[in-house]
Amino acid sequence: MKQTTQNWLDLRHDKPSGIESLRAHFTGHAYDPHWHDSYLIGVTEQGVQQFHSRRQQHQSRPGTVFMLEPEELHDGDAINAQGFTYRMLYLSPQQVKQRLAPLTESGVQQHELGFAATLRDDKQLAYAVWHAFEALWHDHPEMIKDAALDRLFLQLGQHPLWRNRNYMIDKDVLLAQRARDWLIAHHTENPGLQTMAQALNIDRFRLSRLFQTHWGLPPHAWLVQWRLCQARRQLAAGCAPVNVAAELGFADQSHLGRWFKRACHLTPARYQLACTNLPDSD
């Protein structure tokens, strides 16, 4: 699934666990600001991987573990012509919760996983990520994959990663969450900002500023990211791209394809082939 001599990307999907593993190399600009609905845990293999998240610039070097939470906005660039290579695992919130619960005294019912730091220079954690990736990438026997994932989560469980959900939420945060929920509920209608503001009983200029402050993107850009996350999930389940486009409010299959390739560096059909082994219709 390599795309050019300079930039390439390969993705594999472990059917029993649903975990995606990705290995890629980029020179120059790699990704515009975007987010995923999964936890991302990876290791930089070669070069310097530069990206922004949490309003900071980060540089991940060979052997550095990088960790991103669901809906955490980030981008990606190389700092020189050498580029960078990395390997990464996509873990669903449900998988993380199930595997970490036995490793904590109080379980995870009252908590959500929050990474205290985006980067970690930790050889044991890097080793665990690397070998979990290898086990999934090469489709080792299930017992080996389970052991590798257990080692990874044991390492993750040893870090101060937890934050309590029972924190005070101010009115602006609640409004931003309501706005996000409203967008999701009306995603097929392609609503305008004025319609959204009227439904939420707020000035549209204030709504736009508040939304971008809280979610990092204006409403229309955030909605595109949400649609792309849903598209990945539906394509991985075997849904036809034309049906995915219609259900998620894209103008047509070509519209979905342009956004999907821009975000994922793969066409919807090639992504689906990597996940399902269905015939490639490209």
Side-chain angles (χ1 to χ4, degrees), residues 22 24-26 28 30-31 34 40-52 57-68 74-80 82-88 118-119:
L22 179 145
H25 176 83
F26 290 102
Y31 294 104
H34 66 289
L40 275 53
I41 302 176
V43 178
T44 302
E45 292 186 24
Q46 168 269 323
V48 179
Q49 180 179 359
Q50 180 170 283
F51 61 97
H52 295 84
Q57 184 184 83
H58 306 276
Q59 290 190 344
S60 180
R61 300 177 184 277
T64 300
V65 177
F66 57 92
M67 303 182 290
L68 296 163
H74 59 285
D75 56 14
D77 292 282
I79 66 168
N80 54 39
Q82 181 185 16
F84 65 91
T85 310
Y86 68 98
R87 53 181 62 198
M88 183 169 68
T118 302
L119 301 180

Side-chain angles (χ1 to χ4, degrees), residues 123-218:
K123 290 183 179 180
Q124 291 301 315
L125 180 58
Y127 181 88
V129 175
W130 191 282
H131 284 272
F133 181 96
E134 286 289 305
L136 293 163
W137 186 260
H138 296 291
D139 194 22
H140 288 171
E142 291 305 305
M143 193 172 292
I144 294 177
K145 287 191 280 189
D146 282 341
L149 287 168
D150 286 346
R151 176 183 292 173
L152 169 60
F153 280 94
L154 183 63
Q155 287 296 320
L156 288 173
Q158 294 176 1
H159 290 284
L161 301 174
W162 299 98
R163 64 183 183 196
N164 201 308
R165 284 181 179 175
N166 300 321
Y167 52 83
M168 295 296 294
I169 301 179
D170 63 33
K171 289 188 291 186
D172 282 352
V173 173
L174 288 172
L175 184 55
Q177 292 175 341
R178 283 179 56 212
R180 177 193 62 178
D181 294 343
W182 191 92
L183 268 183
I184 293 172
H186 297 83
H187 70 273
T188 59
E189 302 166 19
N190 286 303
L193 187 60
Q194 185 62 37
T195 301
M196 180 180 173
Q198 289 175 346
L200 296 170
N201 194 27
I202 182 176
D203 176 80
R204 72 183 182 93
F205 297 104
R206 178 170 176 251
L207 173 61
S208 183
R209 290 194 301 269
L210 185 151
F211 195 99
Q212 181 148 358
T213 296
H214 190 76
W215 300 112
L217 293 171

